[in-house]
Amino acid sequence: MRAFEYSRATSPAEAAAIVGRTPGARFIAGGTNLLDLMKLEIETPAHLVDINGLGFDRIEETAEGGLRIGALVRNTDLAADKRVRRDYGLLSRALLAGASGQLRNKATTAGNLLQRTRCPYFYDGNQPCNKRKAGSGCAAIGGFSRNHGVVGTSEACIATHPSDMAVAMQALDATVETVQPDGTKRAIPMADFHRLPGDTPQVETALQPGELITAVTLPKPAGGTHIYRKVRDRSSYAFALISVGVVVQADGTGRVALGGVAHRPWRIAAADAALPRGSKAAADILLAGARTTHENAFKLPLVERTLAAALAEAKEAQA
Amino acid sequence: MRMSVSLTVNGKPQSLDLDTRTTLLDALREHLKLTGSKKGCDHGQCGACTVIVEGRRINSCLTLAVMHEGDSITTIEGLGNPDDLHPMQAAFVKHDGYQCGYCTPGQICSAVAVLDEMKAGVPSHVTRDLEEKARFSTEELRERMSGNICRCGAYSNIIEAITEVAGKRA
């Protein structure tokens, strides 16, 4: 690990200002992903600003009837919150499908959104990777690509976003609240938060340098049956090959978001609209224009079948 | 860069002057000579470094010691000792919940915290009804212990040990 300065922030605006003006500065909260990458020297921050003392650890009801989740609420606490379990079951289920008990105790809501891909070529400093070193190339294309993206990929990058929680946040129409280095605040809808790789896969979110996430808000409960299905190589503690999050209403309408298929949680309005017509109709829209490698073409039928299973489970729950 | 940090380890206040890069695991092992917590993968994948911080189990390899100013930490040494075993330690001995023993301190710290998590009503991936409190079952314990890898494969005996302690507590 490279040496770094360490300081504890006393206010969100101060934290954002320090990271905004200090080259190589980063926020640290749970640290479960950042420290892992620092040990491998994939991340080499010159200065860590510890934001754990800033509060942001509460889940509050909003005036609109939704929830405002502090950026530092730990994954365990978010998944266990009674209101989340009752009204946003998809979010609890997605969180509980991810990582291990130890990691969920540390990992934060904001950090979960910002975790980096687990593409093995991103992790291997001896291999080209446009995300790790812009312009160096992509070893995943033509390499071991069984767990890579099939939609929204580019010639520069076929990595996937690893988060389960972000899939649920996408389906639940969450909004990311931030403060910028100059103190101004803004709200970024989840739909605009994560970017596709394009020719700049190193730029992963809409956040500006120094911009600090303070909370994630959920609109009032959508009702319906919430199901998160994750397909992985072992039954616990593994990243998704693909995952499907659905909220299905009694009349068959609903929403669907996918994990493990793209550089961001994957949701398309037209696929939501097609849900009453069944899994094939919705999957065809979600996967339109898919580009598979020699190793990951299995993800296309797997998405449709997993969506079919999720819809069947929803129907059974509503019967 | 060096920095001082004060924390309480197994009930004893400790002040350390550390390189900021020092993980909590290295602070425990290399500076406080508490070598019960083990370094397996050093990347949060194996669970051998599991300790209990402020009542919660975490991977001590994936956190910096300087991030724990004022925190209370319990390691395997703080749970019990050969003359006064913690019930979970005694159950692991009784049920032969190990072979080489390298993962065992992490397994035991994790298991102690798992029972507290279940008691507090924290749900898991296999909890069927999110609105009800999870019930003790082999399935629940296996899921909740998945962050602790045992390469000797003593899993079934580990589950027997935890089940025995859970039964005594319930």
Side-chain angles (χ1 to χ4, degrees):
Chain A
M1 200 186 296
R2 304 274 179 90
F4 54 85
E5 298 287 315
Y6 169 90
S7 60
R8 297 185 188 108
T10 54
S11 79
E14 180 213 20
I18 293 173
V19 172
R21 70 167 181 257
T22 313
R26 296 287 305 268
F27 303 114
I28 187 163
T32 52
N33 191 204
L34 181 57
L35 287 167
D36 183 25
L37 293 167
M38 285 170 64
K39 289 181 183 193
L40 298 165
E41 300 195 353
I42 294 164
E43 296 270 14
T44 54
H47 189 140
L48 287 183
V49 177
D50 186 341
I51 56 169
N52 285 292
L54 295 183
F56 299 150
D57 55 356
R58 294 176 57 194
I59 305 172
E60 299 162 315
E61 282 153 40
T62 64
E64 295 76 34
L67 288 180
R68 185 168 188 275
I69 303 156
L72 293 169
V73 172
R74 309 291 151 167
N75 287 179
T76 298
D77 298 317
L78 184 55
D81 184 273
K82 285 201 158 51
R83 294 159 294 186
V84 174
R85 286 155 75 175
R86 183 188 64 213
D87 297 329
Y88 307 93
L90 177 58
L91 180 55
S92 273
R93 288 294 182 198
L95 283 159
L96 295 171
S100 67
Q102 289 96 316
L103 291 167
R104 290 192 297 270
N105 277 344
K106 261 277 166 212
T108 63
T109 305
N112 192 315
L113 290 177
L114 297 177
Q115 58 180 313
R116 313 291 307 272
T117 185
R118 263 55 174 201
C119 171
Y121 300 101
F122 174 69
Y123 267 75
D124 183 350
N126 296 313
Q127 299 278 352
C129 170
N130 289 318
K131 186 184 283 296
R132 179 168 29 79
K133 191 177 176 210
S136 63
C138 174
I141 297 172
F144 293 103
S145 53
R146 179 169 174 270
N147 204 14
H148 286 74
V150 293
V151 280
T153 56
S154 73
E155 294 302 321
C157 182
I158 59 171
T160 56
H161 194 270
S163 169
D164 294 292
M165 186 198 80
V167 176
M169 291 294 195
Q170 184 79 260
L172 295 169
D173 288 329
T175 302
V176 181
E177 293 184 358
T178 69
V179 58
Q180 304 199 61
D182 66 2
T184 57
K185 296 176 180 179
R186 69 168 173 153
I188 309 166
M190 266 300 284
D192 302 329
F193 187 76
H194 292 103
R195 296 169 47 124
L196 289 179
D199 53 10
T200 55
Q202 73 277 17
V203 183
E204 294 172 351
T205 69
L207 293 178
Q208 298 298 310
E211 190 168 7
L212 175 69
I213 300 176
T214 54
V216 177
T217 56
L218 293 171
K220 69 175 197 234
T225 301
H226 292 221
I227 289 166
Y228 188 72
R229 277 200 171 232
K230 178 176 182 178
V231 184
R232 45 186 164 174
D233 284 333
R234 56 183 187 219
S235 60
S236 184
Y237 197 16
F239 289 99
L241 290 168
I242 65 110
S243 68
V244 172
V246 292
V247 177
V248 188
Q249 305 297 337
D251 63 2
T253 61
R255 313 134 176 232
V256 54
L258 305 178
V261 299
H263 199 255
R264 48 174 297 173
W266 196 248
R267 185 176 173 202
I268 293 173
D272 285 3
L275 263 193
R277 291 191 279 122
S279 58
K280 171 122 187 20
D284 281 351
I285 295 166
L286 286 164
L287 301 173
R291 285 198 300 181
T292 58
T293 70
H294 60 297
E295 289 187 341
N296 70 8
F298 74 93
K299 288 192 174 189
L300 304 186
L302 189 57
V303 163
E304 194 212 319
R305 290 168 192 174
T306 306
L307 177 56
L311 294 178
E313 191 182 334
K315 206 166 185 179
E316 198 173 308
Q318 289 163 348
Chain B
M1 182 194 173
R2 294 192 75 84
M3 212 172 152
S4 60
V5 61
S6 299
L7 25 78
T8 302
V9 182
N10 300 329
K12 198 171 154 194
Q14 300 280 1
S15 282
L16 295 168
D17 178 56
L18 299 170
D19 186 305
T20 51
R21 288 172 285 188
T22 312
T23 61
L24 179 59
L25 176 63
D26 285 341
L28 293 169
R29 287 181 55 85
E30 308 298 331
H31 296 267
L32 297 174
K33 306 299 176 192
L34 293 168
T35 54
S37 306
K38 296 293 187 276
K39 185 180 282 191
C41 68
D42 209 24
H43 287 278
Q45 296 173 8
C46 76
C49 67
T50 303
V51 299
I52 301 169
V53 177
E54 295 290 305
R56 299 178 150 219
R57 55 180 173 146
I58 66 165
N59 299 112
S60 63
C61 75
L62 279 191
T63 191
L64 298 170
V66 293
M67 293 169 72
H68 291 280
E69 176 68 32
D71 281 357
S72 287
I73 292 142
T74 303
T75 68
I76 190 70
E77 292 92 340
L79 285 178
N81 60 61
D83 298 322
D84 182 21
L85 292 177
H86 183 281
M88 193 65 77
Q89 291 172 313
F92 268 64
V93 173
K94 179 180 167 188
H95 291 277
D96 215 6
Y98 45 78
Q99 283 183 42
C100 80
Y102 196 81
C103 73
T104 312
Q107 298 276 2
I108 290 176
C109 285
S110 199
V112 167
V114 159
L115 296 188
D116 288 342
E117 286 167 16
M118 293 199 71
K119 204 174 160 192
V122 175
S124 87
H125 175 62
V126 299
T127 306
R128 282 188 179 73
D129 186 346
L130 276 181
E131 294 199 58
E132 285 188 5
K133 199 169 170 179
R135 287 188 213 144
F136 285 103
S137 68
T138 300
E139 191 189 16
E140 282 283 353
L141 294 178
R142 290 175 72 95
E143 163 60 25
R144 289 168 194 264
M145 290 296 292
S146 70
N148 292 84
I149 310 297
C150 169
R151 288 295 77 152
C152 299
Y155 295 113
S156 57
N157 293 0
I158 290 169
I159 293 297
E160 280 178 22
I162 304 172
T163 302
E164 177 172 305
V165 179
K168 277 184 186 162
R169 259 205 219 180

